[in-house]
Amino acid sequence: MEALFELRVLWAAVVAYVLAGSISIIGVLLKKRPEKSVLALMCLGLLLHTVSIGMRWERLGHGPFVSMFEILSSNVWSLMLVFAIAYWRLPAVRPVAAVVMPVLFIMMGWLMTVSPGETRLPATYHTVWLFIHIGFAKVFMGATLVAVGLSVIILLRSTAFGSEKFQRLPESDRLSELSFRWLALGFVFESLMLIAGAIWAQDAWGRYWDWDPLETWAFITWLLLAAALHVRVTF
């Protein structure tokens, strides 16, 4: 019964997120500024989502980082949290919701297709380095998402549609600088994530690096971020 209530609260949070994203998209198309409504719905969704995650954490005795369902749920939560803070503090970021939210819709749709079955915490997860590693990862993903959203807006503004719908935004050079700063923030936190993950791996499995698919793709992502930042500075 408690598990069912958790899911209902989670789906209520998803509805709030979808409403926030839909209103932001409609606002861009109609050249309106429903920013207070969008932020309020984001905060409502985050509140409900936090309650759902907290209830599951209390019931199972561990955080949302074991099963695919838990990982997707915590990823949506952390991405929404970082973007909501950026949305609140940086007016230039607000129209980016029309680009960022559809990306999160895909992740939410994936979440709905995954079984929320109960999980147990593996013995190797009983370490503080797991929380440090995951915390750095969440900030890295959120910062990179904001940077990608800003970059897509810059690309859209080179089209007739984008130049009309996003004309009230700052100049593209200003958006590019913001994107660079968020990407640099993401790069720093991914670097910290990799270091914390290596320390955790040494404690848990006796090796810092094993070139498994997860580690390899995390490293490839780090290289791509480094290349993007290098090209931005150089050219």
Side-chain angles (χ1 to χ4, degrees), residues 176-212:
S176 179
E177 181 64 24
L178 273 176
S179 177
F180 170 72
R181 290 174 182 271
W182 280 97
L183 196 65
L185 181 66
F187 178 76
V188 169
F189 275 91
E190 190 185 7
S191 301
L192 294 172
M193 178 198 80
L194 291 173
I195 294 170
I199 296 172
W200 169 33
Q202 173 64 22
D203 285 346
W205 299 286
R207 46 82 176 168
Y208 289 102
W209 197 265
D210 197 37
W211 294 105
D212 67 33

Side-chain angles (χ1 to χ4, degrees), residues 134-229:
I134 290 175
F136 287 150
K138 301 304 186 186
V139 178
F140 144 63
M141 290 191 297
T144 305
L145 181 67
V146 175
V148 169
L150 287 164
S151 300
V152 171
I153 293 297
I154 294 170
L155 294 175
L156 288 175
R157 291 181 82 175
S158 64
T159 67
F161 172 82
S163 62
E164 178 187 358
K165 299 302 180 183
F166 297 107
Q167 59 184 347
R168 64 183 176 85
L169 282 173
E171 294 297 321
S172 292
D173 287 346
R174 168 61 177 156
L175 296 182
S176 179
E177 181 64 24
L178 273 176
S179 177
F180 170 72
R181 290 174 182 271
W182 280 97
L183 196 65
L185 181 66
F187 178 76
V188 169
F189 275 91
E190 190 185 7
S191 301
L192 294 172
M193 178 198 80
L194 291 173
I195 294 170
I199 296 172
W200 169 33
Q202 173 64 22
D203 285 346
W205 299 286
R207 46 82 176 168
Y208 289 102
W209 197 265
D210 197 37
W211 294 105
D212 67 33
L214 186 61
E215 292 173 337
T216 302
W217 279 107
F219 181 59
I220 290 172
T221 303
W222 184 86
L223 290 176
L224 289 173
L225 289 180
L229 291 170

Side-chain angles (χ1 to χ4, degrees), residues 13-226:
V14 169
V15 170
Y17 294 150
V18 170
L19 286 174
S22 300
I23 292 173
S24 65
I25 293 170
I26 293 171
V28 168
L29 293 176
L30 300 182
K31 297 183 181 180
K32 303 293 183 182
R33 304 184 69 171
E35 294 166 355
K36 291 183 178 179
S37 298
V38 172
L39 183 58
L41 285 167
M42 285 181 182
C43 292
L44 174 61
L46 281 168
L47 176 61
L48 293 169
H49 201 163
T50 303
V51 170
S52 177
I53 289 175
M55 291 178 64
R56 184 179 178 91
W57 196 324
E58 174 66 23
R59 183 169 60 86
L60 298 181
H62 64 76
F65 37 63
V66 178
S67 68
M68 181 59 71
F69 176 84
E70 293 169 349
I71 293 170
L72 285 171
S73 178
S74 65
N75 281 350
V76 170
W77 180 86
S78 60
L79 289 170
M80 282 299 312
L81 178 62
V82 173
F83 185 71
I85 293 172
Y87 191 95
W88 170 48
R89 299 298 298 170
L90 298 171
V93 170
R94 291 169 186 170
V96 176
V99 173
V100 167
M101 293 304 290
V103 176
L104 292 177
F105 290 168
I106 296 172
M107 192 174 293
M108 293 174 206
W110 186 6
L111 173 62
M112 291 182 176
T113 67
V114 178
S115 171
E118 297 187 2
T119 55
R120 294 182 180 179
L121 194 67
T124 53
Y125 282 37
H126 291 279
T127 170
V128 68
W129 284 105
L130 170 65
F131 293 92
I132 297 172
H133 170 69
I134 290 175
F136 287 150
K138 301 304 186 186
V139 178
F140 144 63
M141 290 191 297
T144 305
L145 181 67
V146 175
V148 169
L150 287 164
S151 300
V152 171
I153 293 297
I154 294 170
L155 294 175
L156 288 175
R157 291 181 82 175
S158 64
T159 67
F161 172 82
S163 62
E164 178 187 358
K165 299 302 180 183
F166 297 107
Q167 59 184 347
R168 64 183 176 85
L169 282 173
E171 294 297 321
S172 292
D173 287 346
R174 168 61 177 156
L175 296 182
S176 179
E177 181 64 24
L178 273 176
S179 177
F180 170 72
R181 290 174 182 271
W182 280 97
L183 196 65
L185 181 66
F187 178 76
V188 169
F189 275 91
E190 190 185 7
S191 301
L192 294 172
M193 178 198 80
L194 291 173
I195 294 170
I199 296 172
W200 169 33
Q202 173 64 22
D203 285 346
W205 299 286
R207 46 82 176 168
Y208 289 102
W209 197 265
D210 197 37
W211 294 105
D212 67 33
L214 186 61
E215 292 173 337
T216 302
W217 279 107
F219 181 59
I220 290 172
T221 303
W222 184 86
L223 290 176
L224 289 173
L225 289 180

